Amino acid sequence: LSLSQQLLTIIFLIVAVFAGFIFIFLAPAVEKFSETEMYSLLHNSQENIISYLQNNTGELPDLGSSEDEKIIQIIYDPKTPALSVLNHSSISKDLSQEIVQNSDEKIPGTQDYSFVSQEVDSTTGESTKYLYSMTELDDGRYLISVMGDAYRQQFSKSLMNGVVLINVLFVSALFVLLMIWVGTLIIPLNQIKTYIKKIRNDEPATLKVRRNDEIGEVADALVDMEAELSQEQREKQEMIQNISHDLKTPIATIKSY
């Protein structure tokens, strides 16, 4: 392979390695990281509500209603039992049943869950997935923070696109640097090739390669070799001329006889 073909092969291998790294190792790591961040967001959203409930016993906060609200806050009282949605939003029936079943386990502290609803998303045509955190309050009630998985997927996609863009920029920069490097190799090699052709055809040739590496050493060796060959050629011509001159007298004598 030529140097250009070798360069393209190296770039292809680098891109293949990066692609394998992204899809085999990076993509699952990004998915895990995004899920962890979503649960952390749910935990942070519960802190203010828990503080409000502790300071206002028996009173539920009114969070209002907003179409852009990513997190739905729910209070569940096992004694009633009743689910109170603080965002004036609605949740699916199977999600409500899932929350009630998990509350029956009476696990203290904050627990994280994921749930795939039987509802079908109108935009994607797939089942709706939810992430939610359930925290048991001091009075026995539960605070549940619910988030649709679409927000997590959007976050994961944005993060993944950013990582892929960084990798593409890195590979592009590496490609440009390798092209420049290979160019610095190809140019002096082409000069050496042209120089050798001219010497073979007995044409006047000059070679100026200013490099301190092996290519420069080869160029200097070729110039020295050409100088030595030229010196030997001149000495050979002079020797032939001397021999011819020395033979002229006996040849003339022989011709006279």
Side-chain angles (χ1 to χ4, degrees):
L1 299 178
S2 64
L3 289 176
S4 300
Q5 292 173 335
Q6 294 179 31
L7 173 63
L8 293 177
T9 303
I10 292 173
I11 294 297
F12 175 77
L13 292 176
I14 292 175
V15 171
V17 170
F18 269 106
F21 172 75
I22 289 173
F23 291 105
I24 296 176
F25 298 102
L26 190 60
V30 169
E31 289 290 327
K32 183 65 177 178
F33 174 78
S34 62
E35 185 173 317
T36 303
E37 287 298 310
M38 293 304 103
Y39 283 124
S40 177
L41 186 62
L42 291 175
H43 297 167
N44 293 334
S45 69
Q46 289 185 341
E47 292 180 358
N48 292 332
I49 298 178
I50 293 174
S51 178
Y52 180 88
L53 294 174
Q54 291 175 348
N55 297 328
N56 300 273
T57 306
E59 183 180 351
L60 296 179
D62 187 359
L63 303 181
S65 60
S66 175
E67 295 180 355
D68 297 331
E69 188 67 35
K70 302 292 190 302
I71 301 175
I72 300 175
Q73 305 290 353
I74 304 170
I75 296 293
Y76 173 64
D77 189 355
K79 299 176 183 178
T80 311
L83 287 172
S84 302
V85 182
L86 305 181
N87 303 82
H88 298 274
S89 302
S90 60
I91 59 175
S92 61
K93 184 178 180 181
D94 50 357
L95 177 58
S96 301
Q97 295 175 351
E98 171 78 7
I99 292 173
V100 172
Q101 291 177 0
N102 290 330
S103 65
D104 291 339
E105 298 179 1
K106 299 184 181 302
I107 301 176
T110 301
Q111 302 297 323
D112 298 324
Y113 301 93
S114 62
F115 174 71
V116 179
S117 174
Q118 296 180 357
E119 293 181 345
V120 178
D121 193 341
S122 58
T123 57
T124 61
E126 299 178 354
S127 299
T128 305
K129 183 179 179 181
Y130 295 97
L131 304 176
Y132 66 96
S133 297
M134 179 180 293
T135 302
E136 184 181 8
L137 303 176
D138 295 337
D139 56 5
R141 294 182 297 175
Y142 290 91
L143 172 62
I144 302 98
S145 300
V146 182
M147 176 188 294
D149 192 57
Y151 181 65
R152 184 198 64 80
Q153 291 179 356
Q154 181 181 0
F155 174 79
S156 177
K157 184 178 179 181
S158 300
L159 183 60
M160 193 69 182
N161 290 338
V163 173
V164 171
L165 178 61
I166 292 175
N167 288 329
V168 169
L169 293 177
F170 174 77
V171 172
S172 300
L174 181 62
F175 176 76
V176 172
L177 292 176
L178 287 176
M179 283 293 293
I180 295 174
W181 177 66
V182 170
T184 60
L185 297 179
I186 292 178
I187 292 175
L189 290 176
N190 287 332
Q191 292 177 348
I192 293 174
K193 180 180 178 182
T194 303
Y195 179 74
I196 293 175
K197 284 184 178 180
K198 289 183 177 181
I199 292 176
R200 182 185 302 153
N201 297 328
D202 291 333
E203 298 177 1
T206 57
L207 180 61
K208 295 181 180 180
V209 177
R210 297 179 180 178
R211 296 177 65 99
N212 296 323
D213 55 5
E214 287 79 0
I215 294 179
E217 293 177 357
V218 170
D220 294 338
L222 286 174
V223 172
D224 295 339
M225 181 183 68
E226 195 275 335
E228 293 177 358
L229 290 176
S230 298
Q231 179 66 24
E232 291 178 358
Q233 186 69 18
R234 286 193 297 268
E235 293 177 355
K236 180 179 179 181
Q237 292 294 334
E238 292 177 358
M239 183 181 66
I240 292 175
Q241 290 177 0
N242 293 331
I243 293 175
S244 299
H245 182 269
D246 294 338
L247 289 176
K248 284 182 180 179
T249 301
I251 290 176
T253 304
I254 294 173
K255 282 185 177 181
S256 65
Y257 281 114

